[in-house]
PDB file of all heavy atoms in Angstrom:
ATOM      1  N   ARG A 235      69.307  56.646  89.151  1.00 98.00           N
ATOM      2  CA  ARG A 235      69.152  57.738  90.155  1.00 98.00           C
ATOM      3  C   ARG A 235      69.659  59.065  89.566  1.00 98.00           C
ATOM      4  O   ARG A 235      69.047  60.128  89.734  1.00 98.00           O
ATOM      5  CB  ARG A 235      69.869  57.419  91.360  1.00 98.00           C
ATOM      6  CG  ARG A 235      69.327  56.220  92.198  1.00 98.00           C
ATOM      7  CD  ARG A 235      70.141  55.881  93.446  1.00 98.00           C
ATOM      8  NE  ARG A 235      69.561  54.829  94.149  1.00 98.00           N
ATOM      9  CZ  ARG A 235      69.405  54.909  95.462  1.00 98.00           C
ATOM     10  NH1 ARG A 235      69.701  55.915  96.163  1.00 98.00           N
ATOM     11  NH2 ARG A 235      68.862  53.788  96.053  1.00 98.00           N
ATOM     12  N   ALA A 236      70.749  58.975  88.801  1.00 98.00           N
ATOM     13  CA  ALA A 236      71.267  60.197  88.243  1.00 98.00           C
ATOM     14  C   ALA A 236      70.310  60.752  87.177  1.00 98.00           C
ATOM     15  O   ALA A 236      70.092  62.078  87.115  1.00 98.00           O
ATOM     16  CB  ALA A 236      72.569  59.919  87.489  1.00 98.00           C
ATOM     17  N   ARG A 237      69.725  59.941  86.373  1.00 97.00           N
ATOM     18  CA  ARG A 237      68.778  60.363  85.400  1.00 97.00           C
ATOM     19  C   ARG A 237      67.540  61.031  86.055  1.00 97.00           C
ATOM     20  O   ARG A 237      67.072  62.021  85.711  1.00 97.00           O
ATOM     21  CB  ARG A 237      68.352  59.169  84.411  1.00 97.00           C
ATOM     22  CG  ARG A 237      67.215  59.544  83.473  1.00 97.00           C
ATOM     23  CD  ARG A 237      67.505  60.644  82.522  1.00 97.00           C
ATOM     24  NE  ARG A 237      68.534  60.346  81.604  1.00 97.00           N
ATOM     25  CZ  ARG A 237      69.679  61.053  81.613  1.00 97.00           C
ATOM     26  NH1 ARG A 237      69.933  62.043  82.363  1.00 97.00           N
ATOM     27  NH2 ARG A 237      70.702  60.748  80.804  1.00 97.00           N
ATOM     28  N   GLN A 238      67.061  60.344  87.067  1.00 97.00           N
ATOM     29  CA  GLN A 238      65.922  60.866  87.842  1.00 97.00           C
ATOM     30  C   GLN A 238      66.163  62.230  88.390  1.00 97.00           C
ATOM     31  O   GLN A 238      65.248  62.990  88.538  1.00 97.00           O
ATOM     32  CB  GLN A 238      65.454  59.739  88.882  1.00 97.00           C
ATOM     33  CG  GLN A 238      64.193  59.973  89.575  1.00 97.00           C
ATOM     34  CD  GLN A 238      63.802  58.852  90.528  1.00 97.00           C
ATOM     35  OE1 GLN A 238      64.671  58.453  91.333  1.00 97.00           O
ATOM     36  NE2 GLN A 238      62.571  58.458  90.452  1.00 97.00           N
ATOM     37  N   ALA A 239      67.394  62.346  88.905  1.00 98.00           N
ATOM     38  CA  ALA A 239      67.752  63.616  89.597  1.00 98.00           C
ATOM     39  C   ALA A 239      68.023  64.806  88.594  1.00 98.00           C
ATOM     40  O   ALA A 239      68.158  65.903  89.036  1.00 98.00           O
ATOM     41  CB  ALA A 239      69.016  63.428  90.506  1.00 98.00           C
ATOM     42  N   GLY A 240      68.100  64.515  87.379  1.00 98.00           N
ATOM     43  CA  GLY A 240      68.460  65.486  86.437  1.00 98.00           C
ATOM     44  C   GLY A 240      69.919  65.805  86.252  1.00 98.00           C
ATOM     45  O   GLY A 240      70.352  66.985  85.824  1.00 98.00           O
ATOM     46  N   ALA A 241      70.762  64.826  86.572  1.00 98.00           N
ATOM     47  CA  ALA A 241      72.220  65.038  86.408  1.00 98.00           C
ATOM     48  C   ALA A 241      72.643  64.867  84.999  1.00 98.00           C
ATOM     49  O   ALA A 241      71.929  64.257  84.132  1.00 98.00           O
ATOM     50  CB  ALA A 241      72.990  64.096  87.327  1.00 98.00           C
ATOM     51  N   ILE A 242      73.885  65.273  84.698  1.00 98.00           N
ATOM     52  CA  ILE A 242      74.534  65.070  83.387  1.00 98.00           C
ATOM     53  C   ILE A 242      75.210  63.748  83.460  1.00 98.00           C
ATOM     54  O   ILE A 242      76.079  63.519  84.361  1.00 98.00           O
ATOM     55  CB  ILE A 242      75.458  66.183  83.019  1.00 98.00           C
ATOM     56  CG1 ILE A 242      74.710  67.495  82.857  1.00 98.00           C
ATOM     57  CG2 ILE A 242      76.223  65.822  81.658  1.00 98.00           C
ATOM     58  CD1 ILE A 242      75.566  68.678  82.684  1.00 98.00           C
ATOM     59  N   ILE A 243      75.029  62.765  82.511  1.00 98.00           N
ATOM     60  CA  ILE A 243      75.744  61.501  82.512  1.00 98.00           C
ATOM     61  C   ILE A 243      76.682  61.500  81.327  1.00 98.00           C
ATOM     62  O   ILE A 243      76.341  61.604  80.215  1.00 98.00           O
ATOM     63  CB  ILE A 243      74.770  60.410  82.484  1.00 98.00           C
ATOM     64  CG1 ILE A 243      73.769  60.485  83.644  1.00 98.00           C
ATOM     65  CG2 ILE A 243      75.475  59.017  82.390  1.00 98.00           C
ATOM     66  CD1 ILE A 243      72.643  59.355  83.679  1.00 98.00           C
ATOM     67  N   TYR A 244      77.961  61.276  81.727  1.00 98.00           N
ATOM     68  CA  TYR A 244      79.110  61.257  80.804  1.00 98.00           C
ATOM     69  C   TYR A 244      79.641  59.886  80.732  1.00 98.00           C
ATOM     70  O   TYR A 244      80.149  59.354  81.756  1.00 98.00           O
ATOM     71  CB  TYR A 244      80.156  62.234  81.241  1.00 98.00           C
ATOM     72  CG  TYR A 244      81.341  62.504  80.293  1.00 98.00           C
ATOM     73  CD1 TYR A 244      81.481  63.579  79.520  1.00 98.00           C
ATOM     74  CD2 TYR A 244      82.309  61.489  80.224  1.00 98.00           C
ATOM     75  CE1 TYR A 244      82.475  63.841  78.697  1.00 98.00           C
ATOM     76  CE2 TYR A 244      83.476  61.692  79.415  1.00 98.00           C
ATOM     77  CZ  TYR A 244      83.569  62.887  78.604  1.00 98.00           C
ATOM     78  OH  TYR A 244      84.674  63.048  77.780  1.00 98.00           O
ATOM     79  N   TYR A 245      79.671  59.262  79.595  1.00 98.00           N
ATOM     80  CA  TYR A 245      80.013  57.873  79.445  1.00 98.00           C
ATOM     81  C   TYR A 245      81.263  57.760  78.605  1.00 98.00           C
ATOM     82  O   TYR A 245      81.312  58.113  77.354  1.00 98.00           O
ATOM     83  CB  TYR A 245      78.983  57.063  78.759  1.00 98.00           C
ATOM     84  CG  TYR A 245      79.219  55.608  78.443  1.00 98.00           C
ATOM     85  CD1 TYR A 245      80.090  54.858  79.295  1.00 98.00           C
ATOM     86  CD2 TYR A 245      78.647  54.961  77.383  1.00 98.00           C
ATOM     87  CE1 TYR A 245      80.328  53.501  79.073  1.00 98.00           C
ATOM     88  CE2 TYR A 245      78.915  53.602  77.171  1.00 98.00           C
ATOM     89  CZ  TYR A 245      79.754  52.920  78.003  1.00 98.00           C
ATOM     90  OH  TYR A 245      79.991  51.560  77.688  1.00 98.00           O
ATOM     91  N   ASP A 246      82.425  57.315  79.199  1.00 98.00           N
ATOM     92  CA  ASP A 246      83.595  57.039  78.440  1.00 98.00           C
ATOM     93  C   ASP A 246      83.709  55.522  78.062  1.00 98.00           C
ATOM     94  O   ASP A 246      83.935  54.725  78.943  1.00 98.00           O
ATOM     95  CB  ASP A 246      84.863  57.479  79.264  1.00 98.00           C
ATOM     96  CG  ASP A 246      86.210  57.121  78.655  1.00 98.00           C
ATOM     97  OD1 ASP A 246      86.270  56.922  77.480  1.00 98.00           O
ATOM     98  OD2 ASP A 246      87.211  57.066  79.437  1.00 98.00           O
ATOM     99  N   VAL A 247      83.545  55.189  76.883  1.00 97.00           N
ATOM    100  CA  VAL A 247      83.424  53.835  76.378  1.00 97.00           C
ATOM    101  C   VAL A 247      84.669  53.131  76.827  1.00 97.00           C
ATOM    102  O   VAL A 247      84.595  51.987  77.438  1.00 97.00           O
ATOM    103  CB  VAL A 247      83.158  53.735  74.929  1.00 97.00           C
ATOM    104  CG1 VAL A 247      83.159  52.363  74.413  1.00 97.00           C
ATOM    105  CG2 VAL A 247      81.895  54.398  74.560  1.00 97.00           C
ATOM    106  N   ASN A 248      85.796  53.504  76.431  1.00 95.00           N
ATOM    107  CA  ASN A 248      87.176  52.904  76.908  1.00 95.00           C
ATOM    108  C   ASN A 248      87.162  51.372  76.999  1.00 95.00           C
ATOM    109  O   ASN A 248      87.386  50.731  77.858  1.00 95.00           O
ATOM    110  CB  ASN A 248      87.519  53.448  78.248  1.00 95.00           C
ATOM    111  CG  ASN A 248      88.949  53.199  78.579  1.00 95.00           C
ATOM    112  OD1 ASN A 248      89.790  52.994  77.684  1.00 95.00           O
ATOM    113  ND2 ASN A 248      89.273  53.342  79.907  1.00 95.00           N
ATOM    114  N   PHE A 249      86.859  50.731  75.761  1.00 92.00           N
ATOM    115  CA  PHE A 249      86.683  49.309  75.679  1.00 92.00           C
ATOM    116  C   PHE A 249      87.978  48.786  74.996  1.00 92.00           C
ATOM    117  O   PHE A 249      88.167  48.898  73.834  1.00 92.00           O
ATOM    118  CB  PHE A 249      85.473  48.930  74.879  1.00 92.00           C
ATOM    119  CG  PHE A 249      84.920  47.550  75.127  1.00 92.00           C
ATOM    120  CD1 PHE A 249      84.126  47.244  76.127  1.00 92.00           C
ATOM    121  CD2 PHE A 249      85.403  46.456  74.266  1.00 92.00           C
ATOM    122  CE1 PHE A 249      83.683  45.923  76.385  1.00 92.00           C
ATOM    123  CE2 PHE A 249      84.886  45.219  74.468  1.00 92.00           C
ATOM    124  CZ  PHE A 249      84.046  44.925  75.486  1.00 92.00           C
ATOM    125  N   ARG A 250      88.706  47.917  75.855  1.00 85.00           N
ATOM    126  CA  ARG A 250      90.014  47.479  75.369  1.00 85.00           C
ATOM    127  C   ARG A 250      89.888  46.271  74.518  1.00 85.00           C
ATOM    128  O   ARG A 250      89.026  45.483  74.693  1.00 85.00           O
ATOM    129  CB  ARG A 250      90.825  47.227  76.628  1.00 85.00           C
ATOM    130  CG  ARG A 250      91.132  48.360  77.543  1.00 85.00           C
ATOM    131  CD  ARG A 250      92.153  48.074  78.612  1.00 85.00           C
ATOM    132  NE  ARG A 250      92.331  49.157  79.474  1.00 85.00           N
ATOM    133  CZ  ARG A 250      93.029  50.279  79.258  1.00 85.00           C
ATOM    134  NH1 ARG A 250      93.722  50.346  78.147  1.00 85.00           N
ATOM    135  NH2 ARG A 250      93.183  51.192  80.226  1.00 85.00           N
ATOM    136  N   PRO A 251      90.810  46.051  73.544  1.00 86.00           N
ATOM    137  CA  PRO A 251      90.831  44.924  72.733  1.00 86.00           C
ATOM    138  C   PRO A 251      90.900  43.613  73.519  1.00 86.00           C
ATOM    139  O   PRO A 251      90.432  42.575  73.026  1.00 86.00           O
ATOM    140  CB  PRO A 251      92.135  45.048  71.896  1.00 86.00           C
ATOM    141  CG  PRO A 251      92.397  46.557  71.923  1.00 86.00           C
ATOM    142  CD  PRO A 251      91.931  47.035  73.281  1.00 86.00           C
ATOM    143  N   SER A 252      91.401  43.586  74.736  1.00 81.00           N
ATOM    144  CA  SER A 252      91.434  42.393  75.536  1.00 81.00           C
ATOM    145  C   SER A 252      90.014  41.831  75.873  1.00 81.00           C
ATOM    146  O   SER A 252      89.918  40.640  76.229  1.00 81.00           O
ATOM    147  CB  SER A 252      92.269  42.577  76.814  1.00 81.00           C
ATOM    148  OG  SER A 252      91.606  43.609  77.621  1.00 81.00           O
ATOM    149  N   HIS A 253      89.053  42.616  75.766  1.00 84.00           N
ATOM    150  CA  HIS A 253      87.662  42.243  75.985  1.00 84.00           C
ATOM    151  C   HIS A 253      86.808  41.996  74.713  1.00 84.00           C
ATOM    152  O   HIS A 253      85.639  41.793  74.778  1.00 84.00           O
ATOM    153  CB  HIS A 253      86.883  43.257  76.828  1.00 84.00           C
ATOM    154  CG  HIS A 253      87.438  43.416  78.205  1.00 84.00           C
ATOM    155  ND1 HIS A 253      87.279  42.440  79.243  1.00 84.00           N
ATOM    156  CD2 HIS A 253      87.991  44.391  78.905  1.00 84.00           C
ATOM    157  CE1 HIS A 253      87.739  42.697  80.326  1.00 84.00           C
ATOM    158  NE2 HIS A 253      88.241  43.936  80.206  1.00 84.00           N
ATOM    159  N   GLN A 254      87.645  41.937  73.567  1.00 87.00           N
ATOM    160  CA  GLN A 254      86.868  41.851  72.320  1.00 87.00           C
ATOM    161  C   GLN A 254      85.994  40.513  72.245  1.00 87.00           C
ATOM    162  O   GLN A 254      84.885  40.559  71.569  1.00 87.00           O
ATOM    163  CB  GLN A 254      87.855  41.803  71.110  1.00 87.00           C
ATOM    164  CG  GLN A 254      87.141  41.921  69.791  1.00 87.00           C
ATOM    165  CD  GLN A 254      88.146  42.381  68.662  1.00 87.00           C
ATOM    166  OE1 GLN A 254      89.298  42.355  68.855  1.00 87.00           O
ATOM    167  NE2 GLN A 254      87.600  42.944  67.630  1.00 87.00           N
ATOM    168  N   ASN A 255      86.411  39.453  72.863  1.00 90.00           N
ATOM    169  CA  ASN A 255      85.593  38.265  72.755  1.00 90.00           C
ATOM    170  C   ASN A 255      84.344  38.280  73.551  1.00 90.00           C
ATOM    171  O   ASN A 255      83.463  37.383  73.525  1.00 90.00           O
ATOM    172  CB  ASN A 255      86.468  37.032  73.199  1.00 90.00           C
ATOM    173  CG  ASN A 255      86.888  37.202  74.691  1.00 90.00           C
ATOM    174  OD1 ASN A 255      86.952  38.299  75.205  1.00 90.00           O
ATOM    175  ND2 ASN A 255      87.206  36.065  75.270  1.00 90.00           N
ATOM    176  N   GLU A 256      84.133  39.395  74.332  1.00 91.00           N
ATOM    177  CA  GLU A 256      82.897  39.626  75.142  1.00 91.00           C
ATOM    178  C   GLU A 256      82.043  40.656  74.563  1.00 91.00           C
ATOM    179  O   GLU A 256      80.990  40.914  75.201  1.00 91.00           O
ATOM    180  CB  GLU A 256      83.286  39.996  76.511  1.00 91.00           C
ATOM    181  CG  GLU A 256      84.250  38.952  77.233  1.00 91.00           C
ATOM    182  CD  GLU A 256      84.518  39.332  78.578  1.00 91.00           C
ATOM    183  OE1 GLU A 256      83.689  39.210  79.479  1.00 91.00           O
ATOM    184  OE2 GLU A 256      85.692  39.736  78.808  1.00 91.00           O
ATOM    185  N   VAL A 257      82.297  41.062  73.329  1.00 94.00           N
ATOM    186  CA  VAL A 257      81.359  42.260  72.772  1.00 94.00           C
ATOM    187  C   VAL A 257      79.946  41.836  72.668  1.00 94.00           C
ATOM    188  O   VAL A 257      79.035  42.602  73.015  1.00 94.00           O
ATOM    189  CB  VAL A 257      82.020  42.615  71.422  1.00 94.00           C
ATOM    190  CG1 VAL A 257      81.027  43.547  70.676  1.00 94.00           C
ATOM    191  CG2 VAL A 257      83.323  43.381  71.586  1.00 94.00           C
ATOM    192  N   VAL A 258      79.716  40.634  72.101  1.00 94.00           N
ATOM    193  CA  VAL A 258      78.320  40.122  71.943  1.00 94.00           C
ATOM    194  C   VAL A 258      77.648  39.983  73.346  1.00 94.00           C
ATOM    195  O   VAL A 258      76.454  40.479  73.405  1.00 94.00           O
ATOM    196  CB  VAL A 258      78.303  38.867  71.143  1.00 94.00           C
ATOM    197  CG1 VAL A 258      76.855  38.277  71.103  1.00 94.00           C
ATOM    198  CG2 VAL A 258      78.852  39.054  69.760  1.00 94.00           C
ATOM    199  N   LYS A 259      78.315  39.540  74.188  1.00 94.00           N
ATOM    200  CA  LYS A 259      77.727  39.298  75.563  1.00 94.00           C
ATOM    201  C   LYS A 259      77.324  40.591  76.350  1.00 94.00           C
ATOM    202  O   LYS A 259      76.325  40.602  77.010  1.00 94.00           O
ATOM    203  CB  LYS A 259      78.694  38.473  76.401  1.00 94.00           C
ATOM    204  CG  LYS A 259      78.108  38.134  77.790  1.00 94.00           C
ATOM    205  CD  LYS A 259      79.055  37.075  78.476  1.00 94.00           C
ATOM    206  CE  LYS A 259      80.379  37.592  78.864  1.00 94.00           C
ATOM    207  NZ  LYS A 259      81.167  36.725  79.639  1.00 94.00           N
ATOM    208  N   ILE A 260      78.114  41.681  76.119  1.00 94.00           N
ATOM    209  CA  ILE A 260      77.863  42.845  76.870  1.00 94.00           C
ATOM    210  C   ILE A 260      77.063  43.897  76.053  1.00 94.00           C
ATOM    211  O   ILE A 260      76.812  44.947  76.601  1.00 94.00           O
ATOM    212  CB  ILE A 260      79.236  43.507  77.342  1.00 94.00           C
ATOM    213  CG1 ILE A 260      80.139  43.801  76.137  1.00 94.00           C
ATOM    214  CG2 ILE A 260      79.949  42.553  78.303  1.00 94.00           C
ATOM    215  CD1 ILE A 260      79.962  45.210  75.548  1.00 94.00           C
ATOM    216  N   ARG A 261      76.688  43.570  74.872  1.00 95.00           N
ATOM    217  CA  ARG A 261      75.913  44.532  73.995  1.00 95.00           C
ATOM    218  C   ARG A 261      74.769  45.115  74.688  1.00 95.00           C
ATOM    219  O   ARG A 261      74.495  46.333  74.603  1.00 95.00           O
ATOM    220  CB  ARG A 261      75.644  43.897  72.650  1.00 95.00           C
ATOM    221  CG  ARG A 261      75.010  44.893  71.737  1.00 95.00           C
ATOM    222  CD  ARG A 261      74.816  44.326  70.232  1.00 95.00           C
ATOM    223  NE  ARG A 261      74.176  45.273  69.391  1.00 95.00           N
ATOM    224  CZ  ARG A 261      74.839  46.338  68.740  1.00 95.00           C
ATOM    225  NH1 ARG A 261      76.143  46.491  68.955  1.00 95.00           N
ATOM    226  NH2 ARG A 261      74.203  47.085  68.026  1.00 95.00           N
ATOM    227  N   PRO A 262      73.871  44.302  75.320  1.00 95.00           N
ATOM    228  CA  PRO A 262      72.684  44.965  76.021  1.00 95.00           C
ATOM    229  C   PRO A 262      73.077  46.002  77.025  1.00 95.00           C
ATOM    230  O   PRO A 262      72.381  47.026  77.120  1.00 95.00           O
ATOM    231  CB  PRO A 262      72.032  43.640  76.688  1.00 95.00           C
ATOM    232  CG  PRO A 262      72.451  42.486  75.869  1.00 95.00           C
ATOM    233  CD  PRO A 262      73.918  42.872  75.463  1.00 95.00           C
ATOM    234  N   GLN A 263      74.082  45.718  77.848  1.00 96.00           N
ATOM    235  CA  GLN A 263      74.547  46.706  78.793  1.00 96.00           C
ATOM    236  C   GLN A 263      75.088  47.981  78.107  1.00 96.00           C
ATOM    237  O   GLN A 263      74.906  49.088  78.552  1.00 96.00           O
ATOM    238  CB  GLN A 263      75.612  46.109  79.758  1.00 96.00           C
ATOM    239  CG  GLN A 263      74.994  45.068  80.620  1.00 96.00           C
ATOM    240  CD  GLN A 263      75.276  43.625  80.081  1.00 96.00           C
ATOM    241  OE1 GLN A 263      75.179  43.416  78.869  1.00 96.00           O
ATOM    242  NE2 GLN A 263      75.621  42.695  80.915  1.00 96.00           N
ATOM    243  N   LEU A 264      75.893  47.767  77.027  1.00 97.00           N
ATOM    244  CA  LEU A 264      76.433  48.854  76.263  1.00 97.00           C
ATOM    245  C   LEU A 264      75.339  49.814  75.703  1.00 97.00           C
ATOM    246  O   LEU A 264      75.395  51.031  75.838  1.00 97.00           O
ATOM    247  CB  LEU A 264      77.287  48.308  75.081  1.00 97.00           C
ATOM    248  CG  LEU A 264      77.912  49.360  74.197  1.00 97.00           C
ATOM    249  CD1 LEU A 264      79.086  50.031  74.844  1.00 97.00           C
ATOM    250  CD2 LEU A 264      78.400  48.653  72.892  1.00 97.00           C
ATOM    251  N   LEU A 265      74.281  49.182  75.127  1.00 97.00           N
ATOM    252  CA  LEU A 265      73.227  50.035  74.522  1.00 97.00           C
ATOM    253  C   LEU A 265      72.454  50.697  75.674  1.00 97.00           C
ATOM    254  O   LEU A 265      71.986  51.855  75.494  1.00 97.00           O
ATOM    255  CB  LEU A 265      72.278  49.067  73.711  1.00 97.00           C
ATOM    256  CG  LEU A 265      72.909  48.463  72.495  1.00 97.00           C
ATOM    257  CD1 LEU A 265      71.875  47.702  71.674  1.00 97.00           C
ATOM    258  CD2 LEU A 265      73.638  49.477  71.534  1.00 97.00           C
ATOM    259  N   GLU A 266      72.269  50.069  76.813  1.00 97.00           N
ATOM    260  CA  GLU A 266      71.649  50.790  77.914  1.00 97.00           C
ATOM    261  C   GLU A 266      72.400  51.907  78.420  1.00 97.00           C
ATOM    262  O   GLU A 266      71.903  52.997  78.690  1.00 97.00           O
ATOM    263  CB  GLU A 266      71.445  49.715  79.014  1.00 97.00           C
ATOM    264  CG  GLU A 266      70.568  50.313  80.161  1.00 97.00           C
ATOM    265  CD  GLU A 266      70.375  49.308  81.320  1.00 97.00           C
ATOM    266  OE1 GLU A 266      71.288  48.679  81.737  1.00 97.00           O
ATOM    267  OE2 GLU A 266      69.138  49.165  81.704  1.00 97.00           O
ATOM    268  N   ASN A 267      73.788  51.748  78.356  1.00 98.00           N
ATOM    269  CA  ASN A 267      74.656  52.906  78.815  1.00 98.00           C
ATOM    270  C   ASN A 267      74.499  53.963  77.838  1.00 98.00           C
ATOM    271  O   ASN A 267      74.429  55.245  78.156  1.00 98.00           O
ATOM    272  CB  ASN A 267      76.151  52.401  78.886  1.00 98.00           C
ATOM    273  CG  ASN A 267      76.398  51.552  80.054  1.00 98.00           C
ATOM    274  OD1 ASN A 267      75.730  51.397  80.956  1.00 98.00           O
ATOM    275  ND2 ASN A 267      77.530  50.798  79.945  1.00 98.00           N
ATOM    276  N   PHE A 268      74.470  53.756  76.581  1.00 98.00           N
ATOM    277  CA  PHE A 268      74.233  54.781  75.507  1.00 98.00           C
ATOM    278  C   PHE A 268      72.954  55.575  75.762  1.00 98.00           C
ATOM    279  O   PHE A 268      72.880  56.738  75.635  1.00 98.00           O
ATOM    280  CB  PHE A 268      74.206  54.200  74.119  1.00 98.00           C
ATOM    281  CG  PHE A 268      75.469  53.694  73.576  1.00 98.00           C
ATOM    282  CD1 PHE A 268      75.536  52.928  72.489  1.00 98.00           C
ATOM    283  CD2 PHE A 268      76.696  54.071  74.115  1.00 98.00           C
ATOM    284  CE1 PHE A 268      76.728  52.570  71.839  1.00 98.00           C
ATOM    285  CE2 PHE A 268      77.915  53.717  73.593  1.00 98.00           C
ATOM    286  CZ  PHE A 268      77.961  52.899  72.491  1.00 98.00           C
ATOM    287  N   GLU A 269      71.945  54.734  76.127  1.00 97.00           N
ATOM    288  CA  GLU A 269      70.574  55.444  76.328  1.00 97.00           C
ATOM    289  C   GLU A 269      70.567  56.261  77.548  1.00 97.00           C
ATOM    290  O   GLU A 269      69.912  57.243  77.604  1.00 97.00           O
ATOM    291  CB  GLU A 269      69.547  54.266  76.443  1.00 97.00           C
ATOM    292  CG  GLU A 269      68.103  54.864  76.370  1.00 97.00           C
ATOM    293  CD  GLU A 269      67.111  53.841  75.878  1.00 97.00           C
ATOM    294  OE1 GLU A 269      67.384  52.613  75.927  1.00 97.00           O
ATOM    295  OE2 GLU A 269      66.118  54.317  75.317  1.00 97.00           O
ATOM    296  N   TYR A 270      71.295  55.931  78.607  1.00 98.00           N
ATOM    297  CA  TYR A 270      71.376  56.709  79.842  1.00 98.00           C
ATOM    298  C   TYR A 270      72.208  57.931  79.566  1.00 98.00           C
ATOM    299  O   TYR A 270      71.929  58.984  80.148  1.00 98.00           O
ATOM    300  CB  TYR A 270      71.992  55.889  80.941  1.00 98.00           C
ATOM    301  CG  TYR A 270      71.123  55.139  81.865  1.00 98.00           C
ATOM    302  CD1 TYR A 270      71.240  53.731  81.934  1.00 98.00           C
ATOM    303  CD2 TYR A 270      70.050  55.756  82.562  1.00 98.00           C
ATOM    304  CE1 TYR A 270      70.293  53.020  82.772  1.00 98.00           C
ATOM    305  CE2 TYR A 270      69.115  55.043  83.337  1.00 98.00           C
ATOM    306  CZ  TYR A 270      69.328  53.624  83.435  1.00 98.00           C
ATOM    307  OH  TYR A 270      68.501  52.864  84.184  1.00 98.00           O
ATOM    308  N   ALA A 271      73.166  57.957  78.784  1.00 98.00           N
ATOM    309  CA  ALA A 271      74.166  58.954  78.641  1.00 98.00           C
ATOM    310  C   ALA A 271      73.714  60.193  77.905  1.00 98.00           C
ATOM    311  O   ALA A 271      72.897  60.123  76.937  1.00 98.00           O
ATOM    312  CB  ALA A 271      75.433  58.449  77.897  1.00 98.00           C
TER     313      ALA A 271
END
């Protein structure tokens, strides 16, 4: 909705080491976030 409206999208990655074992699992969402931002 933000992209459709022409808003500025600011993404703070802020990915903690405690989630390192989930990096592979969340990669599709991460790349999608990069593309939106």
Side-chain angles (χ1 to χ4, degrees):
R235 290 176 182 231
R237 173 59 66 244
Q238 189 175 47
I242 297 170
I243 301 177
Y244 183 106
Y245 179 32
D246 175 21
V247 177
N248 196 20
F249 199 86
R250 300 186 185 281
S252 58
H253 291 295
Q254 188 160 22
N255 62 338
E256 300 180 76
V257 168
V258 173
K259 184 169 66 175
I260 59 86
R261 186 172 175 84
Q263 293 95 320
L264 177 73
L265 297 182
E266 187 178 49
N267 289 344
F268 286 168
E269 192 153 21
Y270 272 121

